[in-house]
Amino acid sequence: MSPGVEALLEQARAGMTRLTPQETVQAASRGALLIDTRTDAQRREQGDLPGVIVIDRTVLEWRLDPASDWRIPEATGYDLEIVVMCRQGYSSSLAAASLRALGLHRATDMIGGVEAWTSAGLPFSDQPADVRN
């Protein structure tokens, strides 16, 4: 019998220090990569965040693994601080755990996702999103 998705989520978050939206802003100011994995439809509905790189969840590991031939230029090493965000802070936890399994030991996610960002009154971008395919 499967332990279920809640157990998987708990396991993914074990040992990971998740960040609030305000702590995510602080992380960005010290050079962390902010990665948005929301779908296009979710981003149209909720808006885009300033300073984030949009990477589809299906290619996230390939774009952020410094050893990958398909990495983005910002994926410069395994000590990179990365904060993953999604709509509500669930799939981002699983994504961050996957990045940690790759050796990106400082990967984490934002508690509550973009919904928490909105509730915190943090700004949205008026610029086009930085989408990486």
Side-chain angles (χ1 to χ4, degrees):
M1 190 162 172
S2 169
V5 71
E6 293 301 324
L8 181 64
L9 191 59
E10 185 178 324
Q11 181 182 23
R13 291 174 174 169
M16 185 167 38
T17 302
R18 302 176 72 219
L19 303 181
T20 66
Q22 294 84 353
E23 291 168 332
T24 298
V25 170
Q26 293 168 359
S29 71
R30 64 178 175 261
L33 282 185
L34 305 186
I35 305 297
D36 187 347
T37 62
R38 292 176 299 150
T39 65
D40 290 339
Q42 290 171 335
R43 290 184 16 256
R44 276 193 306 275
E45 178 186 324
Q46 291 182 298
D48 288 308
L49 304 182
V52 305
I53 298 173
V54 177
I55 300 177
D56 190 274
R57 177 65 189 95
T58 62
V59 295
L60 183 70
E61 291 82 358
W62 287 268
R63 299 301 178 262
L64 294 177
D65 181 359
S68 170
D69 290 338
W70 299 281
R71 71 188 172 278
I72 61 173
E74 294 87 351
T76 57
Y78 291 99
D79 195 43
L80 190 61
E81 184 177 13
I82 299 170
V83 183
V84 183
M85 54 191 66
C86 67
R87 183 181 188 117
Q88 297 177 317
Y90 296 102
S91 65
S92 58
S93 293
L94 299 177
S98 181
L99 294 175
R100 292 168 70 89
L102 276 175
L104 293 157
H105 64 97
R106 295 177 67 200
T108 189
D109 77 320
M110 186 173 73
I111 300 166
V114 175
E115 288 182 5
W117 182 279
T118 301
S119 293
L122 293 170
F124 283 81
S125 180
D126 59 357
Q127 301 297 312
D130 183 0
V131 179
R132 309 292 178 92
N133 295 315

